Amino acid sequence: MTQPPHDEPTADSPEELREQVEQTRAELGQTVEALAAKADVKARTQEKAAEVKEQAAAKATDVKEQATAKAAEVKEQATAKAAELKEQTALKAGELKAKAAELAHQAQDKLPDPVKEKAALAAEQARTRAGQAGQLWQDKAPEPVRQKTAQGAQLARDNRKALLVATGVAVVAWLAFRRKG
């Protein structure tokens, strides 16, 4: 046999020798098991695959959470921007409406009295003819057409100020164009 290692004392009795042999066998068994585990490529591959799978699942969860948070943030920003734009639009519409009313009043103030009288007379005649046309319409128009027309008229009544301002501006523009031409 070979000589014992220099750092281990030799056995003095057969009993100690047996203990050393048992200890050496146990150590040798552990070493063989470790070498067998390293040599088992399939098991090591499966362990590595399981480890990579767990890492991928954790990463996917992180990415999903980040995407959800980012989507919520973008949605919140879009909602805030939409509200801001809506507010700006309402403000601008109010400014335009006020400006149109001011221009209509200025135009009306600049109109000579004969033009105002003619406009009032024309308006009265228009109302009279509109009443006559309305009566004729009621007598001859089919019911579905009358219903749609009634809805349009109601919409016009609901937005009367805007229609009057637009009409006033159109009349002033027409008169100004007519005088220049």
Side-chain angles (χ1 to χ4, degrees):
M1 248 174 97
T2 63
Q3 292 184 351
H6 296 289
D7 59 346
E8 289 185 27
T10 57
D12 292 333
S13 69
E15 187 66 33
E16 288 179 5
L17 187 59
R18 281 188 197 108
E19 285 179 19
Q20 285 179 357
V21 168
E22 286 300 317
Q23 184 179 357
T24 304
R25 281 184 185 158
E27 289 174 3
L28 184 59
Q30 291 173 353
T31 303
V32 168
E33 285 178 19
L35 288 173
K38 283 189 175 185
D40 190 1
V41 176
K42 183 178 179 182
R44 288 179 50 203
T45 303
Q46 289 174 346
E47 288 174 6
K48 187 66 174 177
E51 182 181 323
V52 169
K53 183 178 177 183
E54 287 177 18
Q55 289 174 349
K59 186 67 174 176
T61 301
D62 288 347
V63 169
K64 181 180 176 185
E65 289 173 358
Q66 289 175 355
T68 302
K70 190 65 172 176
E73 181 182 333
V74 168
K75 180 180 178 185
E76 185 177 309
Q77 289 174 351
T79 302
K81 189 65 173 176
E84 181 182 335
L85 288 174
K86 183 178 178 182
E87 184 178 317
Q88 288 175 353
T89 302
L91 182 63
K92 195 65 164 174
E95 290 173 2
L96 290 173
K97 187 176 178 180
K99 185 71 172 177
E102 180 183 334
L103 289 173
H105 286 297
Q106 287 176 359
Q108 191 175 19
D109 291 344
K110 291 182 180 181
L111 285 177
D113 287 336
V115 173
K116 289 180 185 177
E117 291 171 5
K118 284 184 182 180
L121 181 61
E124 182 59 36
Q125 289 175 351
R127 277 193 286 274
T128 303
R129 293 201 184 212
Q132 292 170 351
Q135 186 60 43
L136 182 64
W137 174 262
Q138 287 292 332
D139 294 341
K140 301 209 178 200
E143 181 61 29
V145 174
R146 284 195 309 238
Q147 288 176 351
K148 287 290 184 181
T149 306
Q151 289 174 352
Q154 183 61 42
L155 184 63
R157 279 191 292 276
D158 292 344
N159 297 305
R160 184 178 302 155
K161 285 184 181 181
L163 287 173
L164 289 175
V165 168
T167 303
V169 169
V171 167
V172 169
W174 176 73
L175 289 173
F177 181 73
R178 188 171 164 207
R179 281 189 179 182
K180 288 182 181 180

